[in-house]
Amino acid sequence: MKPLDGITVLDLSRVLAGPYCTMVLADHGARVIKIEHPRSGDDTRGWGPPFVNGESAYFLSINHDKESVTLDFKHPDGRRLLDRLIAGADVLVENFRPGTLDKAGLGYKALSEKHPRLIYCSVSGFGQTGPRSREAGYDAVMQAEGGLMSVTGAADGPPYRLRGPIADGARGGFAANGITPARFAR
């Protein structure tokens, strides 16, 4: 038995910080249902090489032990299915730009009123409020603005991005670490 057995996580995130968060939860026993767009899926499905049997090794590494469902929640049938999945979930993780899911009736305020026991986790680069909240917060941006790139590479050369996505990994790990005690508080 693992610590999060019996917990269902709905993963509306993509690329790295959100999927890393839900990977950690899956590693600890949570059932994670990853929602992907029917036409494109998660952006990282195409990242490579390397590929394993035609699938991105990167995508597989960060999304192992998850179930995937494709649906378009802007379509009425997709929205009905998503609403059923939300009703059965303990946790929802998303990393859309702040305000995006509010427009679709899927923001924290709307869902917390309908599902008060749902733990809602938004992973973002610049927070939910403030002057930069609507900007995308990719790992390379965080490394550059945080000064990490200034201490890599040759002393007399240009800055270099670390190959490992340290900022996205940290954000995802912090999100998972916030969800776990929230579950106990609930």
Side-chain angles (χ1 to χ4, degrees), residues 5-182:
D5 281 348
I7 300 300
T8 299
V9 177
L10 199 54
D11 182 357
L12 272 63
S13 68
R14 61 241 178 265
V15 186
L16 181 56
Y20 183 83
C21 166
T22 58
M23 179 197 73
V24 170
L25 299 174
D27 287 345
H28 291 294
R31 176 186 184 205
V32 177
I33 303 170
K34 183 171 180 64
I35 304 300
E36 298 186 62
H37 195 276
R39 285 192 306 274
S40 57
D42 189 298
D43 296 345
T44 62
R45 283 187 176 274
W47 289 11
F51 292 95
V52 177
N53 297 323
E55 293 197 70
S56 164
Y58 179 90
F59 175 83
L60 294 172
S61 74
I62 205 75
N63 289 291
H64 63 82
D65 296 329
K66 299 178 188 179
E67 302 168 33
S68 282
V69 174
T70 60
L71 64 84
D72 181 355
F73 58 77
K74 292 179 182 176
H75 187 277
D77 291 337
R79 180 54 185 262
R80 278 190 292 276
L81 176 56
L82 182 61
D83 287 341
R84 282 194 358 236
L85 290 169
I86 291 169
D90 298 287
V91 177
L92 182 142
V93 176
E94 61 90 0
N95 64 351
F96 287 80
R97 288 186 189 179
T100 301
L101 290 181
D102 292 330
K103 295 174 193 168
L106 295 167
Y108 171 75
K109 185 172 191 240
L111 292 185
S112 66
E113 289 172 3
K114 192 171 185 179
H115 307 283
R117 293 186 48 79
L118 181 69
I119 296 166
Y120 192 105
C121 178
S122 296
V123 181
S124 68
F126 296 102
Q128 298 298 303
T129 61
R132 299 188 66 191
S133 63
R134 298 208 183 259
E135 293 181 35
Y138 295 105
D139 193 86
V141 172
M142 299 304 154
Q143 286 188 33
E145 291 192 8
L148 188 58
M149 286 185 186
S150 70
V151 295
T152 60
D156 59 346
Y160 286 95
R161 180 174 66 90
L162 295 179
R163 288 197 46 93
I166 191 167
D168 279 345
R171 274 189 298 180
F174 289 139
N177 285 334
I179 288 168
T180 303

